[in-house]
Amino acid sequence: MPEKPSVLFVCVHNAGRSQMAAAWLSHLAGDRIEVRSAGSAPADRVNPAAVEAMREVGIDMSAQRPKVLTVDAVQASDVCITMGCGDACPVFPGKRYLDWKLDDPAGQGVEAVRPIRDEIKRRVEGLIAEIAPDGKQ
């Protein structure tokens, strides 16, 4: 791993799961890890229920916008994490690929998004411990 590992979160719309994962990783790891998120078919905006669920834990992702998945984003990342949506990242040698099976928050209210948010946090904490273990919050 390079000095500063980079992680790319991918889901189809880049509106819910991948945005929450990127927000958690930025929040919990600070500048120790470079964070990106993208989608193969980006939505017009981030899921309002996901924004609200993250606001409840003190993380503001209201300014985020869904971004299209590019080959460059994958090439620039050490770890590519898809969110259980059947999306395939372009595969490059030497990259690590993970698939996190997570419920899709699209069309759900904030009550349904909370457990997804909490599961993403748990997985992000494990990822940080693995790829950037030094430094405590």
Side-chain angles (χ1 to χ4, degrees):
M1 283 274 168
E3 256 179 61
K4 183 174 181 175
S6 59
V7 176
L8 170 66
F9 294 104
V10 179
C11 67
V12 175
H13 301 301
N14 188 220
R17 292 167 289 192
S18 57
Q19 290 283 356
M20 288 191 288
W24 272 125
L25 186 54
S26 295
H27 179 74
L28 295 170
D31 61 3
R32 291 185 294 136
I33 299 174
E34 193 177 340
V35 182
R36 298 180 181 87
S37 72
S40 55
D44 295 333
R45 62 187 180 134
V46 174
N47 179 337
V51 171
E52 180 58 31
M54 293 302 283
R55 185 176 289 129
E56 291 176 353
V57 293
I59 300 173
D60 180 10
M61 57 179 218
S62 60
Q64 295 300 318
R65 295 286 169 262
K67 295 170 282 305
V68 71
L69 176 64
T70 65
V71 169
D72 290 347
V74 178
Q75 279 186 308
S77 303
D78 300 305
V79 182
C80 300
I81 300 174
T82 52
M83 309 304 253
C85 43
D87 255 16
C89 275
V91 175
F92 295 99
K95 307 272 176 228
R96 182 154 168 228
Y97 295 89
L98 300 171
D99 186 48
W100 290 358
K101 303 275 187 245
L102 296 160
D103 292 334
D104 188 350
Q108 310 256 26
V110 72
E111 303 76 26
V113 175
R114 284 184 192 117
I116 302 168
R117 171 199 69 200
D118 296 344
E119 174 62 15
I120 290 172
K121 179 184 182 193
R122 189 185 67 72
R123 292 181 189 211
V124 164
E125 287 171 337
L127 181 70
I128 294 167
E130 190 181 323
I131 68 172
D134 22 304
K136 294 286 172 232
Q137 275 73 94

